[in-house]
Amino acid sequence: MRKLLFLLFLVMTTFVFSQQRSFSYLNTPLEKVIGDLEEDYNVRFAFNSKLLKDRFVTYKKEANLEFFLKEIAFDLNLDFVFLDEENIVIKPTNLPKNYNLLDEVVLVTEYLTSGFDQNKNDGSITMKPKKLGVLPGLTDPDILQSLQLLPGISSPTESASNLHIRGGTPDQNLILYDGIKIYHQGHLFGMISPFNPYVVESVNVFRSGTKSEFGDRIAGVIDINSMVEVPDEVSGGGGVNFLHSDIFVKTPLKKDKVGLLLSARRSINDIIDLPTFNSFSDKVFQNTKIEETNSILQEEKLTVLSDQFDFLDINTKLIFQPNQTNKISISSLLVENSLNYANIDSHQYGTRDQLNINNKGLSVFWDYIPNQKWAFKSSVKYSEFNSDYRFTLFGPRNIEETSSNKNIVKDLGIQLQAKHQLKENLAIKLGYELVDYYVDYNLNFNGSAIVFEEGRTELATHNMYFETEHKTEKVYLRGGLRTSLYSGVDEFFLEPRLYGHYNLNNHLKLKMSIEIKNQAISQLTSFDFNDLGLGNAIWVLTDKGQGIPVLNNKQATFGFFFNKNGWKLDVEAYYKKVKGLTSFTRGFNSTIVTSEYASGNSTVQGVDILLKKKVNRFRTWLGYTYSKNDFEFPGLQSGTFPGNFDQRHIISWTNSYKYDQFQFSLGWQFATGRPYSEVLTLNNNELVFLGQNNKRLSNYHKLDVSAFYDFYFDPKNKIKARLGASIVNVYNRSNEIDRGFRVRFDENGNTNLIEQTNLGLRMTPNIVFRVYF
């Protein structure tokens, strides 16, 4: 079966390399023509969206790209200006004085597939879900899942939100939605991104070389932005797959002045029972209290009273643009997940587990651009995270609440920024950011031996940053300095940032980056947070009194990028030194623990490689990451040992092809097995381990496939529809993603060692149907 699937790769490659295309348009909307040209010629167009409205193309002959654009330019009353071989600006032939063309044209090159571009200057990756081509295993362009196709970004636990960027952990990533910090990053305990991709305009990703305006996290930056312009007309859409349904609408409230975005998405498992949701649930609940209870329902004559497990997200955005120099936007976000599980026995005794997790936020931005020399930006951002677990034991006569555990984060930020264009090739940026944190956690278990039952801390950080940007035809250099004063702990930090590249010729460039970053808030793992075995990570602030230091990361990268004739080769090596790592000792397997917390450091060294070839509408790319992540925790073990999520080799091979209204994608992934700690024996009912992370799980690999068909309901092509299908893990491999051990007491009081291995998704199909207007 596997040999047949790999043979399909080769046959598919040979077939599409022989395909040719000529121009044939009849009263076709200019927007569709632009999309076709970007697909076929590996170019990117920059334009004001109003230019495409009510413009149509009729053309039928063979021609090269430049000749075709010259021919249609006269009829459209437009000019197509080539900035380089990949970037084209569209502007009116007679430019009105009050016409807002673009604040800045960003030169890009397609990185993976349509919708994945690399900024030619700062090296960041931009994903645009609206333009995104089909990706293997996905029916919807899941934001965080899609990013895992980038070398250096992976999820060892096979979830959407559990992103590890170049050896960093998920809590070390700065994820912003319209400036709102995201603390709860996934629905269904991380299996689905909490962002509706159909209202996301762009996602900017920095794996390294971070701009000085981004702080508070030491790993990667994922900057998500929704609607950026006042819409010209009412548009929207909706759809349903085997996991959830959604609807969104964009509408002008006042022409060219005020626009509104509304979006809502929710799970549908309470309406209909579908195999995709069941497969996700099986993965999430394996080796948890819920799975154990379900397994003894018949034996113990238990009855399930409640089995609720659902999610919801809502987004709104209002844009007010009174004139060409001012724009005010207000965004809000609500992400909710809830679990309510209860059972009762024949004697009317039962238990109820309730877990509610939500993240809500609000941001207000004011952009002021008085002229081409100056640009000002000010913002106020608020994010609030709540995790509330309640366990109730009830009987025929009374109700006793035995635990109530909470984790609350409140994050208020104010940011002011000014950018000045000194010369055509030289700009400077100055900014100030105030961040005020409030964190509260309460671990209140009856009979628990937790030392620190609760913690409530506040911290204000004052940050100033300066950045200069210099670019010529050969050289791009961005250098900056961010200073941070942590008022709660009276500590001052300097964070230099440097990114640059040098073009050896039109096809090859060298690149490098050096940066230092600090982080005052992080997640610790406590297996005592709740009885479910789910959602056990707790957000805490730095606290010297409890031994939680500020995280510090020193990072350097060096590499090169080659781009010619549809071939792309991107190679980047990196080295990271992270200090101040902290964990509850219950998050480790050790017999020499002497305190509630353990502190340590990590060293990460690796290289990311991308090799891609594009021919017409066929793309194939190979991604490879070598990463070595060593931990050093003196309080747990002498010497170094592999990090909890250390995977030395990660490989992905992806193919995509577009033919008329059809899109196909096939992708294979491989990864070295994660490390785990092997148990030697039991001593006084306690586990005795051979060492930290001294063994590895089996190697991980799977094959995913997806296909789309797009069509229109009306002759004017105003109502578009999409039917799609996907299969995750086509050959149904049992992939090991985690392993742990625990002690279980039988009816006679004897102890038994239980090994628990968590598996990834088995073969999981999904189907989607969507409509756009």
Side-chain angles (χ1 to χ4, degrees):
M1 178 63 177
R2 298 179 194 174
K3 293 181 179 179
L4 180 63
L5 291 169
F6 283 111
L7 181 62
L8 179 60
F9 268 116
L10 300 178
V11 173
M12 183 178 177
T13 304
T14 304
F15 172 75
V16 295
F17 268 86
S18 64
Q19 302 303 299
Q20 300 295 326
R21 178 191 178 277
S22 61
F23 295 108
S24 181
Y25 294 114
L26 179 61
N27 202 32
T28 305
L30 178 58
E31 182 177 10
K32 183 181 185 308
V33 175
I34 294 301
D36 290 343
L37 297 178
E38 290 186 334
E39 280 282 334
D40 295 339
Y41 289 92
N42 198 26
V43 295
R44 287 293 177 266
F45 289 86
F47 50 85
N48 187 301
S49 62
K50 295 179 175 60
L51 278 178
L52 305 188
K53 185 179 180 182
D54 298 327
R55 279 187 163 92
F56 302 88
V57 175
T58 297
Y59 191 90
K60 189 172 184 179
K61 65 172 71 171
E62 291 187 1
N64 61 36
L65 176 61
E66 188 172 0
F67 185 79
F68 170 72
L69 292 177
K70 285 182 179 179
E71 292 243 299
I72 67 172
F74 179 79
D75 294 333
L76 297 173
N77 194 28
L78 295 173
D79 286 335
F80 296 89
V81 181
F82 282 76
L83 301 180
D84 60 19
E85 61 183 10
E86 291 184 285
N87 292 269
I88 305 169
V89 172
I90 308 175
K91 62 180 181 178
T93 301
N94 299 311
L95 192 64
K97 291 183 179 180
N98 62 345
Y99 185 80
N100 182 22
L101 180 62
L102 283 173
D103 296 333
E104 181 181 5
V105 176
V106 178
L107 301 182
V108 299
T109 180
E110 182 181 288
Y111 195 66
L112 297 182
T113 183
S114 57
F116 265 108
D117 293 330
Q118 184 181 52
N119 187 313
K120 285 190 173 183
N121 286 331
D122 65 20
S124 64
I125 306 296
T126 298
M127 184 180 74
K128 296 184 177 181
K130 184 179 179 180
K131 294 184 176 182
L132 198 62
V134 60
L135 298 177
L138 298 179
T139 54
D140 292 286
D142 185 286
I143 300 298
L144 301 182
Q145 189 79 47
S146 300
L147 296 181
Q148 295 177 32
L149 290 175
L150 296 171
I153 301 181
S154 63
S155 176
T157 59
E158 204 184 66
S159 65
S161 64
N162 190 27
L163 294 186
H164 294 247
I165 300 180
R166 292 183 169 173
T169 54
D171 63 308
Q172 295 170 3
N173 298 324
L174 177 63
I175 300 182
L176 303 171
Y177 182 89
D178 283 342
I180 302 168
K181 290 180 189 173
I182 305 301
Y183 287 90
H184 178 55
Q185 301 170 8
H187 292 309
L188 303 182
F189 296 101
M191 293 299 294
I192 303 171
S193 299
F195 317 107
N196 187 342
Y198 300 102
V199 299
V200 172
E201 191 80 17
S202 65
V203 182
N204 300 311
V205 182
F206 290 88
R207 292 170 293 179
S208 58
T210 312
K211 294 181 179 179
S212 60
E213 63 191 85
F214 296 115
D216 298 328
R217 300 293 188 275
I218 63 171
V221 175
I222 301 174
D223 185 17
I224 304 170
N225 299 283
S226 64
M227 182 177 69
V228 295
E229 296 179 343
V230 176
D232 294 322
E233 57 186 2
V234 178
S235 64
V240 60
N241 61 25
F242 281 4
L243 292 169
H244 53 76
S245 62
D246 76 279
I247 188 171
F248 71 93
V249 63
K250 300 177 183 179
T251 180
L253 300 181
K254 186 176 181 181
K255 186 178 180 180
D256 298 329
K257 301 293 183 183
V258 184
L260 179 65
L261 163 68
L262 299 172
S263 165
R265 183 174 61 156
R266 74 179 300 272
S267 55
I268 59 172
N269 60 298
D270 58 334
I271 301 174
I272 184 172
D273 189 32
L274 293 169
T276 306
F277 193 93
N278 292 336
S279 181
F280 277 45
S281 297
D282 290 344
K283 175 185 178 296
V284 168
F285 291 124
Q286 61 185 317
N287 293 320
T288 65
K289 177 181 177 181
I290 291 177
E291 184 187 56
E292 292 178 2
T293 302
N294 288 336
S295 66
I296 61 173
L297 284 176
Q298 298 299 323
E299 179 183 350
E300 299 294 333
K301 297 182 180 180
L302 293 176
T303 301
V304 175
L305 299 179
S306 176
D307 190 10
Q308 174 194 355
F309 180 37
D310 49 42
F311 64 83
L312 167 75
D313 58 66
I314 298 174
N315 309 94
T316 67
K317 188 168 187 176
L318 180 72
I319 296 180
F320 173 51
Q321 190 165 2
N323 49 51
Q324 296 296 327
T325 60
N326 290 274
K327 182 169 69 174
I328 298 173
S329 61
I330 304 174
S331 297
S332 68
L333 168 75
L334 174 64
V335 178
E336 284 193 345
N337 283 255
S338 62
L339 176 91
N340 188 346
Y341 186 83
N343 61 77
I344 191 170
D345 63 19
S346 58
H347 301 289
Q348 300 303 302
Y349 287 94
T351 62
R352 181 182 299 276
D353 292 273
Q354 295 171 291
L355 178 61
N356 294 289
I357 304 175
N358 67 70
N359 198 153
K360 52 190 174 183
L362 179 72
S363 67
V364 180
F365 280 82
W366 175 28
D367 294 304
Y368 175 55
I369 307 176
N371 51 54
Q372 294 182 346
K373 294 288 186 179
W374 286 96
F376 300 92
K377 179 183 293 186
S378 59
S379 60
V380 178
K381 299 156 288 189
Y382 177 75
S383 180
E384 182 175 327
F385 167 82
N386 287 275
S387 177
D388 187 356
Y389 171 72
R390 296 177 184 273
F391 172 77
T392 304
L393 178 66
F394 58 87
R397 295 184 179 181
N398 60 6
I399 298 177
E400 179 186 0
E401 184 176 294
T402 58
S403 65
S404 176
N405 305 318
K406 297 181 179 181
N407 186 204
I408 300 172
V409 178
K410 295 180 180 180
D411 183 326
L412 175 64
I414 299 174
Q415 192 166 7
L416 305 172
Q417 180 177 290
K419 183 177 180 181
H420 182 47
Q421 195 74 35
L422 294 172
K423 299 178 181 179
E424 183 179 355
N425 62 351
L426 181 63
I428 61 171
K429 183 189 297 182
L430 291 169
Y432 168 78
E433 183 179 25
L434 167 66
V435 182
D436 187 73
Y437 293 106
Y438 169 85
V439 176
D440 185 6
Y441 67 87
N442 186 322
L443 311 182
N444 181 22
F445 271 81
N446 288 348
S448 174
I450 297 178
V451 177
F452 301 105
E453 293 186 348
E454 63 179 1
R456 182 177 295 119
T457 52
E458 296 183 56
L459 177 69
T461 67
H462 300 270
N463 310 277
M464 296 189 69
Y465 55 90
F466 167 81
E467 191 171 87
T468 179
E469 184 181 40
H470 176 72
K471 50 188 174 183
T472 65
E473 186 176 346
K474 287 282 188 181
V475 177
Y476 174 85
L477 189 63
R478 187 187 69 238
L481 178 67
R482 184 181 178 94
T483 64
S484 301
L485 174 63
Y486 291 3
S487 61
V489 292
D490 293 326
E491 291 194 66
F492 182 77
F493 299 95
L494 294 176
E495 300 182 1
R497 313 278 179 89
L498 178 65
Y499 173 84
H501 71 245
Y502 177 75
N503 296 318
L504 295 174
N505 52 50
N506 291 334
H507 308 292
L508 179 63
K509 69 178 180 182
L510 303 177
K511 53 182 178 175
M512 56 76 67
S513 71
I514 301 173
E515 57 192 322
I516 297 177
K517 295 190 284 188
N518 297 280
Q519 180 174 335
I521 186 171
S522 58
Q523 280 186 315
L524 307 183
T525 299
S526 171
F527 297 113
D528 289 323
F529 186 70
N530 63 55
D531 280 339
L532 287 172
L534 295 165
N536 288 315
I538 304 170
W539 287 102
V540 297
L541 279 171
T542 178
D543 190 328
K544 289 183 177 180
Q546 294 190 0
I548 307 177
V550 174
L551 285 169
N552 173 266
N553 174 32
K554 296 180 176 68
Q555 178 174 321
T557 67
F558 180 79
F560 67 89
F561 182 75
F562 175 79
N563 181 17
K564 187 177 182 180
N565 296 331
W567 285 98
K568 283 185 171 64
L569 176 61
D570 189 11
V571 179
E572 193 162 284
Y574 55 89
Y575 177 85
K576 299 173 62 174
K577 184 70 175 181
V578 179
K579 297 182 179 180
L581 294 176
T582 309
S583 176
F584 280 109
T585 52
R586 289 176 174 81
F588 280 95
N589 300 318
S590 177
T591 58
I592 59 172
V593 173
T594 59
S595 63
E596 183 69 15
Y597 296 96
S599 296
N601 308 316
S602 74
T603 302
V604 183
Q605 48 191 327
V607 59
D608 295 330
I609 301 174
L610 172 73
L611 176 64
K612 176 196 168 185
K613 175 62 177 176
K614 179 179 184 292
V615 175
N616 295 329
R617 299 193 174 192
F618 173 75
R619 299 169 175 86
T620 181
W621 68 89
L622 180 69
Y624 171 72
T625 293
Y626 169 79
S627 179
K628 183 181 179 183
N629 187 352
D630 289 331
F631 277 3
E632 185 178 8
F633 279 75
L636 296 176
Q637 176 176 302
S638 60
T640 62
F641 56 91
N644 293 343
F645 298 97
D646 176 70
Q647 291 181 298
R648 297 295 166 90
H649 305 281
I650 300 175
I651 302 172
S652 64
W653 184 21
T654 307
N655 287 252
S656 68
Y657 177 58
K658 184 176 181 181
Y659 178 74
D660 288 339
Q661 295 165 282
F662 292 92
Q663 297 184 58
F664 307 94
S665 184
L666 194 64
W668 183 73
Q669 298 178 39
F670 169 89
T672 305
R674 281 181 56 193
Y676 71 94
S677 301
E678 186 180 30
V679 172
L680 177 63
T681 185
L682 286 175
N683 183 17
N684 295 325
N685 298 330
E686 295 288 338
L687 300 175
V688 179
F689 293 90
L690 287 173
Q692 292 296 320
N693 295 335
N694 60 319
K695 293 288 184 178
R696 285 189 179 270
L697 301 173
S698 301
N699 290 335
Y700 173 101
H701 57 85
K702 65 170 183 169
L703 184 72
D704 303 330
V705 62
S706 295
F708 291 158
Y709 173 65
D710 296 322
F711 58 97
Y712 291 91
F713 280 117
D714 63 319
K716 294 185 179 181
N717 293 345
K718 292 289 186 180
I719 303 177
K720 180 182 177 180
R722 167 172 287 181
L723 182 64
S726 69
I727 300 177
V728 174
N729 196 1
V730 173
Y731 49 78
N732 200 31
R733 175 175 167 82
S734 297
N735 282 308
E736 299 174 345
I737 59 175
D738 195 13
R739 178 170 296 160
F741 301 87
R742 68 180 180 130
V743 178
R744 176 180 290 174
F745 296 90
D746 61 21
E747 296 178 353
N748 299 321
N750 298 318
T751 57
N752 297 295
L753 177 64
I754 305 298
E755 177 184 294
Q756 296 180 324
T757 300
N758 286 1
L759 302 177
L761 284 174
R762 301 301 297 269
M763 185 170 68
T764 304
N766 201 357
I767 294 176
V768 65
F769 176 73
R770 299 197 60 81
V771 176
Y772 308 91
F773 61 89

